[in-house]
Amino acid sequence: MQLNAAPGTPSRGDDRLLLEVEDLHKSFGSLEVLKGISLRVRTGEVIILIGPSGSGKSTLLRCINRLEEPTRGRIRVAGTDITARGVDLNRVRKDIGMVFQAFNLYPHLTALGNVTLALRKVLGMSRPEAEARGRRILERVGLADKAGGYPTELSGGQQQRVAIARALALEPKLMLFDEPTSALDPELVGGVLRAMRDLRDEGMTMVVVTHEMSFARDAGDRVLFMDGGEILEEGPPSTIFRSPAHQRTREFLQRVLHV
């Protein structure tokens, strides 16, 4: 199934394709988790993936940055076939930032230390250069005053924003978010979503798996509904939330929105 923006759908994305997923399959033994996913994302677009647990959303993200090896299919990022034999995955992953449900911060490092580690180890920056960039990125996510704080001294929402800053530090072209607010107390969700909205306003290309339907409504350019390893429906948020065409989409939204 090849999915593109619906005709006449306004989008902030430009005409350059940043991400192309073509007939992607992923199996774990006899369990087929992804069943021929095709997706195109233009530079600057925010794509929201929704659907029930076990529908393949997280597996799709993990295949896009090659944390999982696709069974078959092709993925291109900025024109590079990242599924090609011999591709330099370390270089590829510099272009793809990923934020997980768990924060995965190093407890012995400060917020600034967590953000700058990859800058020094992967990019070979000097400590002063890395720290200067790290402080700019922390300021960008509203944590300039927490640079010296250790993870145990930060709230869950602050830790997740540090994780976002860490992913941004390598200046990726594409950001993947795998339910970034699911492990947070409800009162801490807002700060993380504000940081993500700011990224959207700055033109960052994002693919976001989330159960935050208000964020999907007002921050997404397109919403894709997944179930059973397939994309069953896609369209602008106004269409998906007001008049979904697929029965499974309607059932899912009725359940999560309690309507």
Side-chain angles (χ1 to χ4, degrees):
M1 183 194 307
Q2 186 66 53
L3 294 171
N4 298 292
T9 299
S11 173
R12 300 173 310 103
D14 65 26
D15 290 334
R16 294 173 296 172
L17 284 176
L18 180 61
L19 171 66
E20 299 173 83
V21 179
E22 183 179 309
D23 194 28
L24 190 69
H25 292 253
K26 175 61 181 176
S27 296
F28 296 96
S30 62
L31 177 63
E32 189 177 17
V33 177
L34 298 178
K35 304 174 182 177
I37 298 290
S38 293
L39 169 66
R40 292 184 175 187
V41 180
R42 295 188 297 274
T43 299
E45 273 195 299
V46 176
I47 303 301
I48 308 291
L49 299 177
I50 64 172
S53 297
S55 58
K57 306 183 300 297
S58 295
T59 300
L60 174 58
L61 291 193
R62 292 175 67 86
C63 284
I64 289 173
N65 75 350
R66 292 291 304 277
L67 287 177
E68 294 288 354
E69 186 71 17
T71 303
R72 74 173 190 270
R74 181 171 294 176
I75 302 168
R76 295 185 186 89
V77 176
T80 297
D81 184 349
I82 69 170
T83 50
R85 185 184 301 274
V87 69
D88 184 346
L89 287 180
N90 288 329
R91 186 189 64 78
V92 164
R93 288 182 181 138
K94 292 177 187 176
D95 288 337
I96 307 172
M98 186 157 181
V99 179
F100 302 87
Q101 299 176 33
F103 320 130
N104 297 326
L105 301 180
Y106 291 104
H108 64 288
L109 296 178
T110 63
L112 183 61
N114 271 279
V115 173
T116 59
L117 183 63
L119 295 177
R120 294 169 51 220
K121 300 297 185 182
V122 177
L123 298 188
M125 284 186 174
S126 67
R127 184 181 295 272
E129 186 181 11
E131 289 189 351
R133 182 186 289 189
R135 290 183 188 279
R136 289 195 301 270
I137 299 294
L138 285 171
E139 182 176 8
R140 198 169 156 192
V141 298
L143 291 176
D145 61 334
K146 300 295 184 182
Y150 288 87
T152 55
E153 300 170 334
L154 304 176
S155 71
Q158 290 169 338
Q159 290 184 61
Q160 190 62 291
R161 281 186 282 158
V162 172
I164 293 172
R166 178 178 58 189
L168 289 173
L170 294 176
E171 298 182 342
K173 297 174 182 176
L174 172 67
M175 284 285 287
L176 308 176
F177 292 86
D178 187 8
E179 298 191 31
T181 60
S182 65
L184 300 178
D185 292 333
E187 65 269 21
L188 301 177
V189 168
V192 173
L193 295 182
R194 279 193 298 274
M196 294 171 66
R197 285 188 174 93
D198 288 344
L199 291 179
R200 175 194 188 277
D201 293 342
E202 293 169 10
M204 176 62 72
T205 310
M206 300 191 286
V207 180
V208 182
V209 172
T210 185
H211 291 293
E212 298 290 339
M213 294 299 135
S214 60
F215 178 82
R217 275 195 179 107
D218 62 32
D221 292 302
R222 282 186 286 152
V223 175
L224 281 60
F225 175 73
M226 287 186 65
D227 192 24
E230 299 178 289
I231 298 172
L232 298 186
E233 183 170 1
E234 68 91 19
S238 58
T239 299
I240 296 298
F241 285 101
R242 292 176 187 171
S243 54
H246 200 284
Q247 177 64 24
R248 283 293 295 119
T249 312
R250 292 195 294 270
E251 292 170 352
F252 173 79
L253 290 175
Q254 286 171 356
R255 186 167 67 252
V256 299
L257 298 175
H258 308 292
V259 296

